Amino acid sequence: MSEDRPTLPPVRLHSDAELARDALATPLLTRAVRLARWAGPGTRVGAGGELVDEQLPMAAQVLGLGGADGPAYASEAWRLAVDAGLVEAQDPQDDDAEYGTVTVGENLELIVSGGPQDILAIWLDALEAVHADATAPVLEDLAGAIDEDGEIDFETLDWDPEAESEFLDGVLGNLYLLTVAEGGARDEPVPLPALAASMIVPDDMGEPTDDVLEQVSDAMMRLDDQFRLLEPIGLVEYRPVDEALMAEEGEEESAPPVDDEDVSRYGMVKLTPLGLYGVRARMREAGIDAPAVGDLADEDADALLDGLAHYPELSARAETEQWLARRTPAESARELLAAARGADEGAPLRRLHCQQALTLVGPQAEPAVRAVLDDAELGGLARVWLAERGAKDVPAPSESMIFWLAIDTIAAQLGTEGDLEELRDLVEGLVGQHSGFFEAAWRVDHPATADVLEAMGRLHPDKRAAKEARKAAFKARSRTGG
């Protein structure tokens, strides 16, 4: 595998405008904005910027939150308003003053007047704050871990903030990978037990031990609390664990489900389009290569074809369509064909992606394609393109070009992680179409001839043909001195 290969498949993101609208519609940010607009000269805050208890009922009323939990939700929204820069907490002006005041934060105006990128930057600040809350210890544990100086004694608390954050980021990373795998945007939610197990159960473990199952159950309960916090900021869609399954204090803890019928009751989660954007932003900030479809749209054809080498099929097509949309068909064809040339190891795969890209280009590309009919490396794919479009006056390929194209095609397929059965069918089909294939193939002047013939020897299901392929590979290496 190339060292330059992206760590993750490319994600297909919604437009910034769509994501910004989603961000403004999230329940928690909506409440935070409403409280920021409500705040005024009479608003009082504590030393940490928190709204004083006496004003929480009024804040809950402003938000239309009734019931016993209203003040708690209002406090949560207020903290977010402070963390997202929608309000600025001011220390007391006088030594005798018990509380501080607030002023309008610079980000509040951007909520109305800023562009999509401004809105998304505010939302990312809000996500950071909620993520910190989600990895904080529960309040009951925290109260007993404050030392005489008012500092948190982490040893007493048995809580590692860095480890907690890394665990949640790991879970979100796995959820992200499941979502973007194979170039799709996964719509099906992921069972919470499977997500917890992906972080705890070793890959080489057959049947999980009781201790491992207990760790998975503990992780599920922690994740249940965390996803309940992350849903209002728009990161995930979450179906919580059925409270009827929660073990009462002193009873044996629930084990993870063993069949599909029960699994949804143990929690189901999926990233929203906004969540994909947010997790990707966090990963990139951490130095992880997390490409997005569209990253290559403004690059030249060389960068496009090299980049597509590691893209799943659907993502490669979407990336190519965006690249083509910025150029005329004739210009696209000329640039793609020029970038497809080469005798390096990656050249066959570039030519394959060039051929696939050209299928999306209109008939205006025909002059550029005809211009390479006599090119030893591009003449074969040019004839394929013209024939598929029913073009007239397409010269028949020479036998040497046919075999060169066959070697190049298999070399390209070997450079992908495609279906092995499809590659085996391709090998068998090529050999079956041409009598004496291997006798001609070992003479092909292509850098990958010997490697391709060796691979054909491994892949061909017929023992006799496989042996002929290996003998041809030996001849090819002898001819080139390899």
Side-chain angles (χ1 to χ4, degrees), residues 10 32 94 98 102 114 158 162 179 237 240 243 323 350 362 368 376-377 459 469:
D94 301 322
E98 184 177 0
V102 296
D158 191 24
E162 185 175 341
T179 305
E237 290 181 18
E243 293 189 4
W323 189 89
R350 287 202 306 276
E377 296 176 347
L459 292 167

Side-chain angles (χ1 to χ4, degrees), residues 1-2 4-13 176-177 180-184 280 284 289-323 349-350 352-354 356-357 360 412-413 415-419:
M1 182 183 296
S2 169
D4 296 330
R5 180 175 182 143
T7 306
L8 296 165
V11 61
R12 301 171 74 174
L13 294 174
Y176 180 95
L177 181 57
V180 303
E182 301 304 320
R280 176 179 181 257
R284 295 184 72 192
D289 184 8
V293 172
D295 284 352
L296 303 175
D298 293 321
E299 300 291 337
D300 60 23
D302 295 271
L304 175 71
L305 296 183
D306 283 335
L308 293 181
H310 308 302
Y311 277 31
E313 183 178 351
L314 291 176
S315 296
R317 182 182 178 93
E319 185 73 60
T320 302
E321 288 172 342
Q322 292 198 31
W323 189 89
L349 194 52
R350 287 202 306 276
L352 175 63
H353 285 296
C354 172
Q356 292 169 342
L360 305 176
Q413 295 293 342
T416 69
E417 293 183 359
D419 190 314

Side-chain angles (χ1 to χ4, degrees), residues 421-441:
E421 194 61 37
E422 288 184 6
L423 181 56
R424 183 175 285 111
D425 290 343
L426 173 62
V427 167
E428 191 173 5
L430 285 172
V431 175
Q433 288 174 13
H434 305 282
S435 60
F437 178 91
F438 295 114
E439 184 59 31

Side-chain angles (χ1 to χ4, degrees), residues 190-197 220-221 223-224 227 238 241 266-269:
V190 179
L192 194 60
L195 206 51
M220 284 170 51
M221 294 303 99
L223 288 172
D224 181 64
F227 285 135
Y238 183 53
V241 176
Y266 286 80
M268 303 287 287
V269 63

Side-chain angles (χ1 to χ4, degrees), residues 138-147 157:
V138 294
L139 292 177
E140 290 82 356
D141 297 339
L142 187 61
I146 305 297
D147 61 23
L157 192 59

Side-chain angles (χ1 to χ4, degrees), residues 162-424:
E162 185 175 341
E164 288 286 338
S165 181
E166 287 180 357
F167 183 83
L168 180 56
D169 282 335
V171 169
L172 293 174
N174 285 352
L175 190 56
Y176 180 95
L177 181 57
L178 287 170
T179 305
V180 303
E182 301 304 320
R186 180 190 180 111
D187 283 331
E188 301 83 11
V190 179
L192 194 60
L195 206 51
S198 72
M199 295 294 294
I200 293 172
V201 180
D203 292 337
D204 58 354
M205 176 175 284
E207 189 71 22
T209 64
D210 290 343
D211 178 60
V212 168
L213 288 176
E214 184 177 351
Q215 292 179 51
V216 171
S217 292
D218 290 343
M220 284 170 51
M221 294 303 99
R222 181 63 171 147
L223 288 172
D224 181 64
D225 291 336
Q226 291 173 330
F227 285 135
R228 288 173 190 259
L229 290 174
L230 292 168
E231 185 175 38
I233 198 61
L235 191 78
V236 295
E237 290 181 18
Y238 183 53
R239 176 177 174 177
V241 176
D242 187 343
E243 293 189 4
L245 296 173
M246 300 288 194
E248 297 294 336
E249 186 174 354
E251 294 183 2
E252 184 178 352
E253 291 195 15
S254 302
V258 294
D259 57 61
D260 293 339
E261 183 179 351
D262 291 334
V263 72
S264 65
R265 301 182 65 199
Y266 286 80
M268 303 287 287
V269 63
K270 72 173 184 176
L271 289 173
T272 65
L274 185 61
L276 279 171
Y277 170 84
V279 174
R280 176 179 181 257
R282 289 182 60 82
M283 290 194 296
R284 295 184 72 192
E285 188 174 341
I288 298 172
D289 184 8
V293 172
D295 284 352
L296 303 175
D298 293 321
E299 300 291 337
D300 60 23
D302 295 271
L304 175 71
L305 296 183
D306 283 335
L308 293 181
H310 308 302
Y311 277 31
E313 183 178 351
L314 291 176
S315 296
R317 182 182 178 93
E319 185 73 60
T320 302
E321 288 172 342
Q322 292 198 31
W323 189 89
L324 293 173
R326 288 164 167 78
R327 297 158 179 83
T328 67
E331 177 187 10
S332 298
R334 285 194 299 271
E335 291 186 20
L336 287 167
L337 290 165
R341 288 190 173 92
D344 57 285
E345 185 178 350
L349 194 52
R350 287 202 306 276
R351 283 187 281 275
L352 175 63
H353 285 296
C354 172
Q355 185 171 357
Q356 292 169 342
L358 287 174
T359 64
L360 305 176
V361 180
Q364 301 93 323
E366 184 170 338
V369 175
R370 284 190 176 276
V372 300
L373 281 171
D374 294 330
D375 188 288
E377 296 176 347
L378 305 177
L381 69 85
R383 283 167 172 78
V384 170
W385 187 89
L386 291 167
E388 288 177 346
R389 292 188 170 272
K392 298 179 179 179
D393 301 323
V394 180
S398 64
E399 183 178 82
S400 62
M401 180 175 287
I402 291 173
F403 281 96
W404 193 96
L405 184 59
I407 295 295
D408 199 59
T409 299
I410 297 176
Q413 295 293 342
L414 290 171
T416 69
E417 293 183 359
D419 190 314
L420 185 62
E421 194 61 37
E422 288 184 6
L423 181 56
R424 183 175 285 111

